[in-house]
Each structure stands twice: as C-alpha cells, then as structure tokens.
Amino acid sequence: MPINKTFLTFCLSLVMLNSFSQNEIIPLWNGDIPNSQKSNDKEIVLSTDATRISLVQTPTLEVFLPTKKSATGKAVIICPGGGYKYVVYDWEGTDIAKWYNSKGIAAFVLKYRLPNSKSVKVSYEAPLQDAQRALRIVRSQAEKWQVNPNKIGIMGFSAGGHVASTLGIQFDKPNIFKETTIDAISARPDFMILIYPVVTMKTDYTHKGSRLSLLGENPTDVLINQYSNELQVTENTPPTFIVHATDDAAVPVENSLNLYKALKDKGVKTEMHIYPEGGHGFSLAIGSGYLQTWPDRLFDWLQSF
C-alpha cells in the first residue's frame, strides 16, 4: 500500500517541530552535589491541575530562549514556589518562561533542592547553593545563549520568592564546599522580581509551612534572623520589583511591605504593586480582572535595564 505523500510530509513536519521545541535541561552540578548524602528518596512528579515536583534529587535549569530575531539580551532565572515542600514547576515556572520569551527575554526555570529531602544534609543551605550556581551558569554561558551578562535577574514566587530574595540579598555568602572555576563568577543578580514572596522567618508574618520546612521546628534566633531577608538588605542589593495581594491569607502582605521599607532605607531602587484582591498563588492571574495586568507592569519596569 503506497504511503500518502501529504501524510508523510505532515509527520515529518511534526518531527521537525518537536525537535525545535525541546528545551535544554542542564544539571546544576557536575559530579557530587554539595551538601548532599545518599538516601532512599526518589524524586516525585505529580501532575494534576499543575505539575508539582517534590524530593528533588537532581537540581536543574531548563532553558527557554526567544527567537534570535526578538532577543533583547535580558535573562531571568525563575524560582517556582511550593512552600519548600515541592516546586510548582509549570504554574510558576515554565508558563512564566514562555511569557518572557514572548517579550524577547531568555528564561531559565530552576528546579532547586528542597529541604525536606533526606538527601540534603543541611536543609537551609541547599536552595541558596542551587540559586547561586544557577546564576553563575547563566552568566558563564551568556554568549552561548545571547544573553548580556550584566542583565541577568532572579525571580521567585511564594517560597520561591524566598529563594530569589535570599540570592538577591545574600548572593555573596561563602561556599562551604570545594570551589571550582565557575564559583569565582559573581552570583549577584542584576535585578530581582518577587511575586507574593515569603521574606521573613519571624513568627509574626512568616509562612509557617515554609519556615518549618526550611529551618525545622526549633530554629535558633541566629538562623531566624539570617533567613529573614528584610533584615539582611544592603546597599548592594539589586533593584527590585514586588507584587503582592492585600488579601493573601497564606503569605501576609507584610512580607513585601517590610522588605520594601528595608530596601527603601538602604537606597535600593524598588517598585512595588499591592493589589486589594488576588489571594495567593495567582501566577499570571489570567482571567482575574485587572490583576492579570501585573505582568504588563513588570514589562514596563524591565525597560529600565
């Protein structure tokens, strides 16, 4: 039976399209992962209304690049949320990356280690270690991805906002592992974007689940202060964009308000948008009235870089 040429052409087109649409996924660490140990934990991927990844064993960066014709040279590393229990990989990760690509901005979705895995030795150190390495990887390969090494930002949602703000504010925290050449590259983001972020670990306004996962049941005052990022802001903290909803019942808006004040007091250029309604975890807020215009405000802000 002869093969229909039209059907064959269609199949070939699908194969070619699929080959072009596959994104590069890069392991953050070559060889042994620092601050890790052997365990029986296995990475779990649960896909329901969104894809949630828990017990992350191999932290990665997924690369999303705009077409060369529209590339602006800007890049953003995205840290999805999930209360430090899982990573909401598509809802606050790949969906956001595709939005950036539509604006000519390269995006990198970070699948970072979570502190509740037995494979992590010191719970609170792993997310920052992964974020530092992610920034250094993107900066070291900027030419390959047509990215300006001085226009690389960090973005985070909810607990991912804590990962992002910890990097943005404590990017120069020394490594406790044996360094390689890449670790000499600056891990300072050129700008920081925080969407309904967990910022503080103090009991008055923290997200209790994130604090418990990251710091444990009875953290010391030293640890609480170290990971309360509103207390760690310096003049060298990068320019920051913040979005939060007043009626956020999971992560109180005071997380953002207190961080804004700390940034202002240190003279850090900051723009903040507080919406009266929106709750928590709204991502791009599609179908949520004028709340869904917050990405437009972000795009406007990004024009200054």
Side-chain angles (χ1 to χ4, degrees):
M1 181 177 178
I3 298 175
N4 184 286
K5 290 184 178 180
T6 302
F7 178 73
L8 183 62
T9 302
F10 174 73
C11 291
L12 183 61
S13 298
L14 284 180
V15 171
M16 292 178 64
L17 180 62
N18 185 59
S19 67
F20 282 120
S21 64
Q22 289 178 345
N23 296 306
E24 183 179 10
I25 298 179
I26 303 169
L28 293 185
W29 307 97
N30 294 321
D32 293 337
I33 299 173
N35 187 27
S36 65
Q37 59 192 0
K38 290 185 178 179
S39 79
N40 294 323
D41 281 355
K42 303 293 183 183
E43 193 164 298
I44 298 172
V45 179
L46 178 64
S47 295
T48 53
D49 58 336
T51 299
R52 296 169 174 83
I53 305 175
S54 57
L55 301 178
V56 170
Q57 301 299 299
T58 303
T60 59
L61 269 182
E62 185 169 1
V63 183
F64 289 78
L65 299 178
T67 58
K68 292 182 179 180
K69 193 171 183 178
S70 63
T72 63
K74 298 171 188 173
V76 179
I77 297 168
I78 304 165
C79 305
Y84 278 126
K85 292 183 178 180
Y86 47 80
V87 175
V88 190
Y89 196 75
D90 47 7
W91 179 246
E92 295 173 344
T94 58
D95 283 0
I96 310 302
K98 293 169 186 175
W99 177 85
Y100 275 118
N101 283 179
S102 75
K103 305 297 183 182
I105 300 170
F108 302 81
V109 180
L110 176 60
K111 186 183 71 173
Y112 53 92
R113 283 174 292 164
L114 299 161
N116 59 350
S117 172
K118 295 175 183 177
S119 300
V120 175
K121 287 183 180 178
V122 183
S123 63
Y124 47 82
E125 291 179 348
L128 176 58
Q129 289 168 340
D130 289 350
Q132 286 176 317
R133 176 54 64 100
L135 202 294
R136 287 170 172 143
I137 287 174
V138 175
R139 190 160 274 150
S140 69
Q141 300 193 47
E143 184 176 355
K144 169 186 174 182
W145 292 316
Q146 292 192 310
V147 166
N148 185 328
N150 300 313
K151 293 185 178 182
I152 302 171
I154 190 75
M155 179 186 202
F157 295 76
S158 192
H162 191 264
V163 178
S165 61
T166 305
L167 177 68
I169 296 168
Q170 304 188 51
F171 56 86
D172 55 357
K173 185 178 180 183
N175 294 312
I176 61 171
F177 53 86
K178 185 177 180 180
E179 293 187 339
T180 59
T181 304
I182 195 173
D183 297 307
I185 297 173
S186 172
R188 180 186 182 273
D190 297 296
F191 52 90
M192 182 163 62
I193 302 162
L194 306 175
I195 312 301
Y196 41 87
V198 176
V199 174
T200 192
M201 290 289 120
K202 291 185 169 294
T203 54
D204 48 0
Y205 297 122
T206 192
H207 177 250
K208 293 180 181 179
S210 294
R211 170 176 149 145
L212 178 63
S213 293
L214 187 67
L215 302 184
E217 290 186 2
N218 298 298
T220 65
D221 289 341
V222 171
L223 271 183
I224 291 169
N225 289 337
Q226 180 182 348
Y227 287 93
S228 293
N229 287 322
E230 77 279 11
L231 303 179
Q232 304 299 327
V233 174
T234 72
E235 291 83 356
N236 203 27
T237 300
T240 302
F241 180 92
I242 305 171
V243 171
H244 218 123
T246 303
D247 65 349
D248 191 329
V251 178
V253 70
E254 282 80 4
N255 280 265
S256 289
L257 296 174
N258 291 337
L259 178 61
Y260 177 86
K261 183 180 186 304
L263 292 164
K264 175 179 175 293
D265 290 347
K266 293 294 184 180
V268 177
K269 181 181 177 182
T270 306
E271 180 172 323
M272 182 168 66
H273 295 267
I274 303 296
Y275 291 82
E277 297 177 345
H280 188 74
F282 48 76
S283 185
L284 291 169
I286 294 171
S288 297
Y290 77 96
L291 178 63
Q292 68 185 338
T293 66
W294 78 257
D296 298 330
R297 307 290 75 74
L298 171 59
F299 182 64
D300 291 342
W301 182 78
L302 284 169
Q303 302 315 300
S304 61
F305 296 96

